[in-house]
Amino acid sequence: MDNCIIQTGTMRRKDRELSSPEEIFSVIDQCKVVRVAFPQEDVPYLVPLNFGYHREGEKLTLYFHGAFEGRKMELLRNRPRVSFEMDCGHELTGKDTACSYGFLFQSVIGWGTAEIVEGEAEKILGLERLMFHQTGREFSITPKEAASVAVFRIQVESLTGKARRSF
């Protein structure tokens, strides 16, 4: 898919829906962990992962790194359609009674196709984007460093965002 599709107008709580790309990308900027659900026969396999991303307009690619082998990589190779969720901005609010409590949050969910990155240049880009997102610092990844880990990406095809910013 050439561009990810930001889904709007689909939430029951319209007052919490993030309707603009900039609102959604602001949440992505703040989140450091994404939970990726890989399909398998009986139940999804859900994995929390640190990530980085590359954005061109509304097109979004998420990048991850890990071992070359293992359950995650096996599922990725055999069933690459995945969904994901990330959330941040957590704050418990309340007063004197149990019913007065609420929880502030911001979240993004979406789905897309996961793929192992094979090309050296894109592996380096993915790792550099991951490090920048996690640390706020620019790093130069060498080809030798990139060769030492597996890198995979999710080409995002659909995104929605939701937030409860006040109580």
Side-chain angles (χ1 to χ4, degrees):
M1 190 170 256
D2 292 335
N3 291 305
C4 76
I5 299 169
I6 294 179
Q7 302 290 324
T8 59
T10 59
M11 291 186 186
R12 182 183 60 85
R13 294 290 309 259
K14 304 292 184 213
D15 59 319
R16 296 184 184 167
E17 180 178 43
L18 302 179
S19 57
S20 78
E22 293 315 312
E23 287 179 303
I24 291 172
F25 286 111
S26 174
V27 173
I28 293 169
D29 281 338
Q30 295 173 60
C31 294
K32 299 299 181 192
V33 174
V34 62
R35 290 152 200 88
V36 179
F38 295 87
Q40 58 180 11
E41 291 181 25
D42 52 350
V43 295
Y45 179 61
L46 186 65
V47 182
L49 299 164
N50 293 107
F51 72 101
Y53 69 91
H54 182 71
R55 176 185 177 194
E56 291 180 36
E58 292 184 22
K59 182 178 178 181
L60 177 65
T61 304
L62 301 176
Y63 287 100
F64 311 88
H65 78 297
F68 289 101
E69 298 299 324
R71 187 175 187 185
K72 176 178 58 197
M73 296 304 275
E74 180 182 327
L75 290 169
L76 188 150
R77 286 182 186 100
N78 294 319
R79 301 182 88 179
R81 303 288 291 159
V82 299
S83 58
F84 61 88
E85 182 276 346
M86 60 185 81
D87 54 85
C88 59
H90 307 128
E91 182 182 341
L92 182 65
T93 63
K95 302 216 188 255
D96 299 327
T97 65
C99 292
S100 71
Y101 278 84
F103 199 73
L104 306 182
F105 69 91
Q106 299 171 333
S107 65
V108 171
I109 63 171
W111 53 267
T113 301
E115 308 167 292
I116 297 169
V117 175
E118 300 292 344
E120 181 180 274
E122 189 178 3
K123 279 184 81 171
I124 289 170
L125 169 71
L127 291 169
E128 289 175 347
R129 299 310 305 149
L130 190 153
M131 290 304 300
F132 179 78
H133 183 67
Q134 295 300 312
T135 69
R137 294 177 50 206
E138 298 282 347
F139 287 88
S140 294
I141 305 294
T142 67
K144 183 178 178 180
E145 291 168 329
S148 70
V149 296
V151 174
F152 73 96
R153 68 177 174 234
I154 297 174
Q155 299 288 6
V156 176
E157 298 171 34
S158 176
L159 283 174
T160 60
K162 188 174 182 179
R164 183 175 190 185
R165 295 182 174 142
S166 64
F167 188 73

